[in-house]
Amino acid sequence: MLLYRVLKSYLLRKKIVDLVFYLQDQQGEPLRHFSVALADRRGKQVLQREGKPFVVQSDEEGQVVFDHLPGSLYTVLLGTEKKTSIAQFKAGLTKLKQTDPQVYLPKKTILSKKDDSNQLIIQIQQTNTTS
C-alpha cells in the first residue's frame, strides 16, 4: 500500500497543471487585487517559489492564476497566510487520470463554487472581503 502511494505521488508530480479560478463577492462582482496564497496539502505552510512565499493577487476580473504546478493537492488560502486568511479550500490533482485540477470546498464554509462556461468561479458569501 505504501509503495502504491509513493508511486502515485511520483506520477502525479510529473504532471504540470495551472490552477485558474475567479473570485467574486456574493453579488457576483469580481474581487480585484485580492491576495491569495498557495499552501501545502494540509494548509500548514505557504509554499515558496523562487525563495518567496507563493502569493498572487487577483486581476481586474478577479482571476487568480497559479501556473506550472506539479500535480498534487494544495490548500488555497484567501489571504496571505493561514492565520489571517478569511477562508481556504483544497485544489489540485488527486487521481492519475485527471487532466484538470479539481476544487474541494470544506463542508462548512463561506465559499461556493460554480462552473460558468469553462471558468471556475469561487464566490465568497460574506460582505467583509478586504485582504
Side-chain angles (χ1 to χ4, degrees):
M1 191 62 152
L2 177 63
L3 180 61
Y4 171 76
R5 278 194 263 171
V6 170
L7 182 60
K8 180 181 170 186
S9 176
Y10 170 75
L11 292 174
L12 276 175
R13 289 200 163 276
K14 289 187 82 165
K15 295 182 177 189
I16 301 298
V17 296
D18 293 337
L19 178 59
V20 180
F21 57 93
Y22 291 81
L23 289 177
Q24 293 181 348
D25 64 14
Q26 58 193 8
Q27 287 80 29
E29 293 296 318
L31 294 176
R32 296 171 180 90
H33 311 291
F34 196 88
S35 295
V36 181
L38 194 67
D40 63 0
R41 172 185 293 249
R42 293 191 174 112
K44 295 189 181 224
Q45 183 176 3
V46 173
L47 299 179
Q48 303 276 316
R49 183 167 274 184
E50 297 175 3
K52 298 177 185 172
F54 200 2
V55 177
V56 298
Q57 286 200 342
S58 59
D59 65 11
E60 292 296 321
E61 297 173 352
Q63 184 181 41
V64 176
V65 178
F66 290 104
D67 58 352
H68 297 93
L69 297 174
S72 186
L73 189 64
Y74 300 94
T75 300
V76 178
L77 304 173
L78 300 181
T80 56
E81 57 188 44
K82 185 172 177 99
K83 295 176 193 172
T84 60
S85 69
I86 62 167
Q88 64 185 27
F89 61 90
K90 303 232 185 263
L93 299 179
T94 57
K95 297 180 178 146
L96 292 174
K97 292 186 179 183
Q98 274 181 275
T99 56
D100 295 322
Q102 298 294 311
V103 171
Y104 307 95
L105 298 180
K107 290 183 181 178
K108 294 183 179 179
T109 184
I110 61 170
L111 303 173
S112 65
K113 71 176 179 176
K114 64 180 182 177
D115 292 313
D116 185 30
S117 66
N118 295 328
Q119 295 178 344
L120 176 65
I121 298 171
I122 304 294
Q123 283 189 313
I124 299 175
Q125 303 299 320
Q126 75 174 26
T127 55
N128 183 9
T129 57
T130 57
S131 59

